[in-house]
Amino acid sequence: MPILDVDGLPTYFESTGDGPALVLLHGGIVASDSWGPWPELLAAGGYTVLTPDRRGHGGTPDVPGPITYGAMADDTIAFLRAAVGGPAHLVGWSDGAVVAALVSMRAPELVARQVLIGQYYSPDGIARPEFLGTLEAMRADPPAFLRSTHPSPDGPDHFPVVVGKLLDMFAREPDIDLRRFAGVTAPTLVLQGDRDEVTVAHGKAVADTLPAGRFAILPGTHSLPLEAPELVAALVLGFLAGTLDHGLWETGPQE
């Protein structure tokens, strides 16, 4: 099993392809294997794709105490320094998008470009108020399909404990002042489905606040990356390559 010691946290990760570093940051409760065909799709674009499991997820052990987005961002910053040693592209989906955003705020020198998929950053961005209630219903008996194929160092009986910690986090986070995105220097694509768990207005507000932000909506739900993997990956690869940058930093009249 590929394990990297990240400030004392034995972090499970896999690496695919060859080229500049691209880190996929998975959603909550699930682990990096939830990306399905994505590592291969992005590696085919000329990248070394790294897929770490965050604390308590998949093959990375839990840590005593609550799980927070801030702690996971700090873990990711340490992972980037240990595994990459310099700037990387970040692609975060759901919880992974919050982690990526915080990394770009806290350690901008480690983020080349980033794509943030299907996530709200403050409670006013939630599209369906019942969404969190649906997740809370998993607390007593988490569905087996959410379990990673990567064996947990904590054993299978610990999975409900991690799910409970994450549900506690979802009840209070994320709650990021969108004005903080004004300080993010990395070119950023904010991407979501038209029937996602985040409102279109919220996603656009994030993109508009970013100094080098783009906003894209595709037909789909919160599972957009798996509903249309080839389409979404092609858009992501185009953005990371800079082929979608026309007009990105232009502020004057357009011809």
Side-chain angles (χ1 to χ4, degrees):
M1 294 174 62
I3 301 291
L4 179 66
D5 187 297
V6 178
D7 289 349
L9 178 65
T11 301
Y12 180 99
F13 77 103
E14 295 183 1
S15 178
T16 306
D18 185 42
L22 191 166
V23 179
L24 287 176
L25 299 174
H26 61 80
I29 301 179
V30 297
S32 61
D33 52 351
S34 64
W35 282 102
W38 273 71
E40 290 74 21
L41 289 171
L42 298 183
Y47 294 98
T48 297
V49 181
L50 303 173
T51 54
D53 287 347
R54 294 193 299 277
R55 59 169 62 191
H57 296 75
T60 299
D62 192 15
V63 175
I67 295 177
T68 67
Y69 286 116
M72 292 190 290
D74 288 341
D75 292 344
T76 303
I77 290 169
F79 175 82
L80 290 170
R81 288 175 174 153
V84 180
H89 298 307
L90 304 184
V91 178
W93 175 18
S94 193
D95 273 13
V98 179
V99 173
L102 290 174
V103 170
S104 69
M105 294 172 184
R106 296 181 177 189
E109 74 280 3
L110 296 178
V111 184
R113 287 173 173 255
Q114 64 179 345
V115 180
L116 310 178
I117 305 175
Q119 179 58 40
Y120 57 89
Y121 302 90
S122 57
D124 61 304
I126 299 175
R128 295 187 303 120
E130 68 272 20
F131 174 58
L132 293 180
T134 302
L135 295 178
E136 181 62 33
M138 300 179 180
R139 186 183 292 269
D141 186 20
F145 73 86
L146 293 174
R147 291 178 180 265
S148 173
T149 60
H150 306 158
S152 169
D154 301 311
D157 293 342
H158 192 71
F159 183 61
V161 176
V162 172
V163 171
K165 289 185 178 186
L166 291 170
L167 292 174
D168 290 343
M169 181 183 74
F170 298 156
R172 61 180 184 271
E173 298 186 47
D175 193 4
I176 299 171
D177 187 334
L178 297 193
R179 290 174 294 185
R180 292 182 61 190
F181 283 95
V184 172
T185 56
T188 301
L189 173 63
V190 179
L191 172 63
Q192 65 184 74
D194 61 352
R195 292 175 290 127
D196 217 316
E197 302 301 340
V198 51
T199 67
V200 171
H202 186 81
K204 186 176 187 303
V206 172
D208 287 348
T209 304
L210 287 156
R214 297 297 295 268
F215 184 47
I217 304 173
L218 293 176
T221 71
H222 195 56
S223 298
L224 176 64
L226 298 181
E227 292 167 350
E230 290 82 7
L231 174 62
V232 180
L235 179 60
V236 168
L237 287 170
F239 178 77
L240 296 181
T243 60
L244 306 181
D245 282 354
H246 177 68
L248 186 58
W249 295 281
E250 296 174 10
T251 57
Q254 303 297 302
E255 298 182 354

